[in-house]
Amino acid sequence: PGSFRAGVTSPSVHRRLSTNAFRVFCQLAGGFVLFPAMTMTMRVALLKRILCRPPPPLAISFRCSSSSSTTPEATRLLKVGDVLRESRRFSESDVAQYSEVTGDRNPVHLDADFARRIAGFDGGRVVHGMLVASLFPSVIAPILYPGAVYVAQTLKFKLPVYIEDEVVAEVQAAHVRENKKRYIVKFATKCLVDKESLVLDGEAMAILPTLVLNK
């Protein structure tokens, strides 16, 4: 570095290098111990060897920590208090098909005039109560928890549901218990019309293969 370059042999360099300074330089640069008997010529020759010698290889160690640029969406597990919802409007065709499948051909479901005049349902034809209640298992099993087994359901019919009413079914987890790698869940169930009128409530129990929400 500086004025100490390989090949420099001018007398001025000889004069500037005192015995002590040269000894310190060589000890720092190359680990040599100099003897006082060394002549200036020998010191310059040694200096050339030190400055021209290639540097030792570097030993480099490093630690790399990487993190993903995207955070995967957290897995959602069903827990007590969670509410699942589904809305549906039942049409005349829905009611007619349900009547055919079940054999329930009560005229309050099929004849608007009879429903109003005889049965006293001002809104006309009434949707089967069990058809409305079928929303509960449809909320739990096919979409959110495929493979769920519906075990029990209690029902209390509060108000009639008329054709084309918008019905919102709510299923709220009330109790969760693990049993043999499956989960027994008790739900509070209810149906609302116009988002405020309670038309149906009760409790359900289902066995779920997992608590991981599928949707």
Side-chain angles (χ1 to χ4, degrees):
S3 62
F4 297 102
R5 297 194 302 266
V8 176
T9 59
S10 65
S12 62
V13 173
H14 290 212
R15 289 192 297 271
R16 287 202 301 269
L17 292 174
S18 67
T19 300
N20 291 335
F22 192 76
R23 179 186 293 114
V24 172
F25 175 81
C26 291
Q27 286 176 338
L28 292 175
F32 291 96
V33 178
L34 302 178
F35 297 97
M38 291 181 67
T39 65
M40 183 59 68
T41 302
M42 295 171 64
R43 295 189 185 115
V44 172
L46 181 58
L47 176 61
K48 290 181 181 180
R49 290 176 58 190
I50 293 172
L51 296 178
C52 294
R53 185 173 56 192
L58 295 177
I60 302 175
S61 63
F62 65 93
R63 182 171 53 194
C64 178
S65 61
S66 61
S67 59
S68 175
S69 59
T70 58
T71 302
E73 185 178 352
T75 301
R76 182 180 172 186
L77 301 179
L78 179 71
K79 61 183 183 300
V80 173
D82 283 350
V83 178
L84 313 174
R85 294 183 178 89
E86 180 179 330
S87 63
R88 173 77 182 268
R89 292 180 185 271
F90 293 101
S91 65
E92 291 185 359
S93 176
D94 294 330
V95 172
Q97 291 181 53
Y98 186 83
S99 294
E100 288 298 318
V101 170
T102 63
D104 183 355
R105 296 182 178 86
N106 188 326
V108 298
H109 305 304
L110 303 173
D111 187 329
D113 181 65
F114 181 92
R116 290 191 180 92
R117 185 170 53 84
I118 305 301
F121 291 108
D122 295 336
R125 295 170 60 182
V126 178
V127 179
H128 299 79
M130 297 303 293
L131 178 56
V132 177
S134 69
L135 287 175
F136 299 139
S138 72
V139 170
I140 298 170
I143 298 177
L144 299 180
Y145 298 98
V149 178
Y150 216 73
V151 176
Q153 175 75 62
T154 63
L155 297 170
K156 295 179 181 179
F157 299 96
K158 303 289 188 178
L159 293 172
V161 175
Y162 298 106
I163 290 175
E164 297 300 336
D165 279 346
E166 183 179 9
V167 183
V168 176
E170 292 188 359
V171 175
Q172 184 175 30
H175 181 74
V176 179
R177 178 169 62 90
E178 185 176 2
N179 182 44
K180 297 180 180 179
K181 298 183 179 180
R182 295 172 72 84
Y183 301 90
I184 300 175
V185 184
K186 183 178 181 180
F187 295 95
T189 58
K190 63 181 178 181
C191 283
L192 304 172
V193 168
D194 298 329
K195 299 182 180 180
E196 58 182 21
S197 298
L198 180 65
V199 296
L200 176 62
D201 70 356
E203 292 182 345
M205 185 174 293
I207 300 175
L208 309 184
T210 177
L211 294 180
V212 178
L213 188 66
N214 187 54
K215 186 177 181 181

